[in-house]
Amino acid sequence: MSKLFGIGVGPGDPQLLTVKAIETIKLLDVLYTPTARNNKPSTAFRIADQYIPKEIDVKKRKFPMTNNWHEKRKSWNLIAQEMVTDVKQGKNVGFLTLGDPSVYSTFSYIQELVDDQIKIEIIAGISSFSQIAAISKMPLMLDDESLIVVPANTKQVHLEQLIEIGENIVVMKVAINYPKLFAFLKDSALLDQAYLISNASMETEQVINLQDCDGTEDLPYFTTMLIKKEGKDK
Amino acid sequence: MSKLFGIGVGPGDPQLLTVKAIETIKLLDVLYTPTARNNKPSTAFRIADQYIPKEIDVKKRKFPMTNNWHEKRKSWNLIAQEMVTDVKQGKNVGFLTLGDPSVYSTFSYIQELVDDQIKIEIIAGISSFSQIAAISKMPLMLDDESLIVVPANTKQVHLEQLIEIGENIVVMKVAINYPKLFAFLKDSALLDQAYLISNASMETEQVINLQDCDGTEDLPYFTTMLIKKEGKDK
């Protein structure tokens, strides 16, 4: 039975796709992908490129990068209905997402728009925060500790509350709110326990030493912070 | 250069290993694995079994299941020092973990005991909570929402505080504290927004409907709860 597949391709290294993701890509008749700037393939497409069969029907579509919710929703709905048509014609349709389709992904919205019309399957992927823990060799959590993952563009008061209550905190897309976040960590004496990584597992991966920073640095879009408030030894 | 590799094998389905995990297993000279009950292979070993070369030197070691911290630490240290000896002899040594080595994993302790003596590499794996989101088709987080992951055996007051403050909450190993957690969710009118899954992606996977529960059920050890406090539409 044909389906729409949301496929996580992991954080950047093509070896971080799962066997299931690769096997699923091989089953596809159609692959929808956002057109990136200059008509280049999207980041997710480039990561999975070597696993994508040459004969697959790649449909490039425009996913607007705008804060206008209604405009975005309208575009997504048009693409989603195209996908429904394809699946109803017996085609296996795929959509690739960077990282994990369940973590801050456009696929979640597409899924919501079509899940009463066609079958959907989600193929989990390695999230950037898992990879950041692997690179930095800092466990995300141990014993009875919690992990909190929050994007830097959440309300500042909520962000501060979560950092105060949590033991291990991942702040995603730090660049958006970096000066405020830096100031808060400095005031809370947490700078020594915070680690910054940009573009984890991509060719442009970069570990940034916060001790050399003053909060005015221009950070890449995919920069993530891991704050570990507990010492390793308990 | 020889190394100690902490390799995540994902939540249960052997297809959920990454290419990198499989390639790394092929490089190993020695694989350390806990002896499970009845001398059976550990869960992580069984998941990766089909990818483990026949000629590999498998060293079964006892990892005590006890709450006595010093006893555990003593056993881990003995095994860790064996690993150090192997790596210093030029061998590539592996340790498999269920899910992701950065998420509540024994590997984190072993790593801490040896990381000033030998090289270590961590291979991220799909965590159970990623897979639970994939199975249930409920996004872990959208937009500016946070995700909180916490084990049920954390302090009850901390657990309740995290559930109150968070938007999406994963409670791991629910069985340990299930009656108290059930009562809290009932009092907070959150039962309708909580989902229970046992043994995600294993052959024994089971979705448990909380509407049919009264808090006295006997749940499997690997039972996880996902609480989604926000509606999908904002």
Side-chain angles (χ1 to χ4, degrees), chain A residues 215-233:
Chain A
T216 62
E217 292 75 17
D218 201 15
L219 303 176
Y221 181 73
F222 288 121
T223 299
T224 304
M225 184 181 280
L226 172 56
I227 305 167
K228 292 196 71 70
K229 284 169 55 196
E230 298 270 327
K232 276 191 190 175
D233 292 299

Side-chain angles (χ1 to χ4, degrees), chain B residues 12 26 39 62 74 94 103 108 113 161 181 209 226 228:
Chain B
K26 284 187 197 156
N39 211 25
K62 234 180 174 166
K74 213 174 125 187
V103 173
S108 299
L113 291 166
Q161 200 182 19
L181 180 60
N209 192 340
L226 173 55
K228 293 197 69 74

Side-chain angles (χ1 to χ4, degrees), chain B residues 165-189:
Chain B
I165 199 179
E167 288 126 355
N168 305 287
I169 304 105
V170 170
V171 187
M172 313 256 302
K173 298 183 187 165
V174 171
I176 294 170
N177 193 27
Y178 174 58
K180 267 194 187 169
L181 180 60
F182 188 93
F184 174 72
L185 293 176
K186 199 174 174 186
D187 289 350
S188 312

Side-chain angles (χ1 to χ4, degrees), chain B residues 29-42:
Chain B
D29 302 296
V30 187
L31 181 59
Y32 281 80
T33 178
T35 44
R37 269 171 299 182
N38 311 323
N39 211 25
K40 281 187 187 162
S42 70

